[in-house]
Amino acid sequence: MARAKAQQTDSTVETPDVLIVGTGFAGLGMAVKLLDAGHRDFVVLEKADGVGGTWRENTYPGCACDVASVMYSYSFAPNRDWSRMYAEQPEILDYIKQVVKERELEPYLRFGAEAVSYEFDEAADRWHVVTRSGQEYRPRVVVLAHGALHQPHVPELPGMGGFKGELFHSARWDDSVDLRGKRVAVIGTGSSAVQFIPKIAGVASHVDVFQRNAHWVLPKADRPLKQLERRLFKAAPFVQRLYRLTAYWTHELPVLAFLNPRWVGILEFAARRTLAKQVPDPELRAKLTPSYRIGCKRILLTNDYFPALQRPDVSLTTSGIEEFTEDGIRTKDGEFHPADVVILATGFSTDNRCATEHIVGRDGLTIQEAWRDGMTAHLGTTVAGFPNLFMLMGPNSGGGAQSILFVIEAQLHYIVECLKLMRRRRSTRLEVRDEVQRRFNDTLHGKLAGSVWNSGGCHSWFLDHRGVNRQSWPGTGSSYWLATRKPDPAAFRFGGSGVARSEDRPVARSARTDEGTRLQ
């Protein structure tokens, strides 16, 4: 088994070539791709005590993926044993653990290691990373893979601190709270809420659902995979590849409509038809009909949410929340809704995912200063002013409707190619040029201007507090894949005593040791 043996300068400082932060799909995928490229000198930090990222953290009832299982898995590690077309949280987490085991990643993982400080040492062209426990690392390269949706958004609602009942966010589900016989208030109707509301309806004595905006809903083509299908996946892997290809284009084609809103009519027709079939009551149907174009917010895939809202023990409230009291919620229409438990299904903080992080780059530039006007990056992976720092799922690399794993794999390839570029040029520093990043973002936001995400008539989590889209890629997944095939050397500044002065100058290949290839 290959084992990480990062060089140590003393008993408390490790100096790996690459330090990865996070053990979700992105961080573990980066580890696999480094091993595939011959890198052995890296570590992966994880603040929790196990792998899985969002699929470790989110354990609410009904938690599942809204991307088909065959597409929500690594292309380089297909799972032949998916039980459903759309896998649920426990099965996805088991798959992640399976990849860790099969790819022998355990020796590289450091659990209980929350990185709290990153500072770039310009003299050494290395990062100085410190964990909450005081452990120090001095890697050449840092890859941030801690995810875009990992900080639950908790709204500041009047009187919420005085509520005497149980209150928690759906992303921090409290299994110790018994909902049986309780009056439960659910604030929010996004992708998590539509999964757990049908599960708690009938368990709680009553569920009050507080909706700020209606969402477009389409049926979820979920079903158990037949034994024959699973046997074919193993005996004839091309069958699973065909399923994956079908899922890919199912997610890819809607993006073309989102980029040209006049084409979204077909999707809206399907969503309105779903609503009409499942909700016969015209008054309730009106409350559940969005006022914006489909695609402006995330489309919800569900078969049981609308039926759950029509149960006698479930109520939908569309009036805004006026205040919390000790024992419930009062809405702006004057109605009082008693509650024993409040569940916040209010999504995640996405405006600036590094707003509270201590990341200091070249010339003392902090990430807060660099992003004072909003998050920007080049291809969602590199940020001007922060040499040797890569991001996974960075600004404006969201896949629209495409599986985020497809986007992540494109980024993994791009980062590995950047590391190869550094080696070929015998460079110890790589940084995207300011002007390149600026031109890239000017073009990117110009393309987004006419998209449904920007002009669809809603304010979604794609937009920051200034109304600027900091999440979406202005194209298909295929176009992002093409853009990340090969890094352009002219886009970067290189540093280090051994940097080749000519693009075409031949350089000696880096020596390989039993620990793999190291950067200079």
Side-chain angles (χ1 to χ4, degrees), residues 53 73 111 123 127 163 170 187 200 214 245 300 333 346 358 373 382 416 418 421 446 493 497 511:
S73 46
F111 294 113
W127 283 90
F163 178 64
S170 61
I187 300 176
I200 67 173
L245 187 63
L300 306 181
D333 59 5
T346 47
H358 183 76
D373 296 324
T382 54
V416 169
C418 284
L421 183 60
R493 291 189 178 92
S497 59

Side-chain angles (χ1 to χ4, degrees), residues 155-277:
E156 296 181 2
L157 297 171
M160 192 163 71
F163 178 64
K164 298 294 187 181
E166 301 287 350
L167 185 149
F168 55 86
H169 195 283
S170 61
R172 300 291 183 266
W173 193 270
D174 190 344
D175 287 312
S176 70
V177 178
D178 188 355
L179 301 182
R180 288 177 296 181
K182 304 288 181 60
R183 291 191 65 95
V184 179
V186 178
I187 300 176
T189 54
S191 54
S192 298
V194 302
Q195 292 183 340
F196 73 75
I197 286 173
K199 300 298 182 183
I200 67 173
V203 176
S205 64
H206 193 88
V207 179
D208 281 298
V209 179
F210 293 84
Q211 173 187 280
R212 184 173 61 175
N213 295 296
H215 289 261
W216 290 107
V217 170
L218 289 172
K220 190 174 186 178
D222 190 25
R223 61 173 176 80
L225 282 163
K226 300 174 183 177
Q227 286 296 326
L228 175 60
E229 291 172 301
R230 296 166 73 179
R231 285 199 295 267
L232 283 173
F233 287 173
K234 295 175 182 178
F238 76 89
V239 174
Q240 190 176 38
R241 287 196 291 271
L242 287 175
Y243 274 56
R244 183 180 173 90
L245 187 63
T246 301
Y248 173 83
W249 286 108
T250 299
H251 291 289
E252 187 81 335
L253 291 176
V255 178
L256 298 176
F258 298 156
L259 294 170
N260 300 276
R262 63 183 181 276
W263 296 350
V264 299
I266 296 175
L267 289 173
E268 282 193 10
F269 174 79
R272 290 182 186 277
R273 188 166 179 268
T274 298
L275 181 59
K277 286 178 64 177

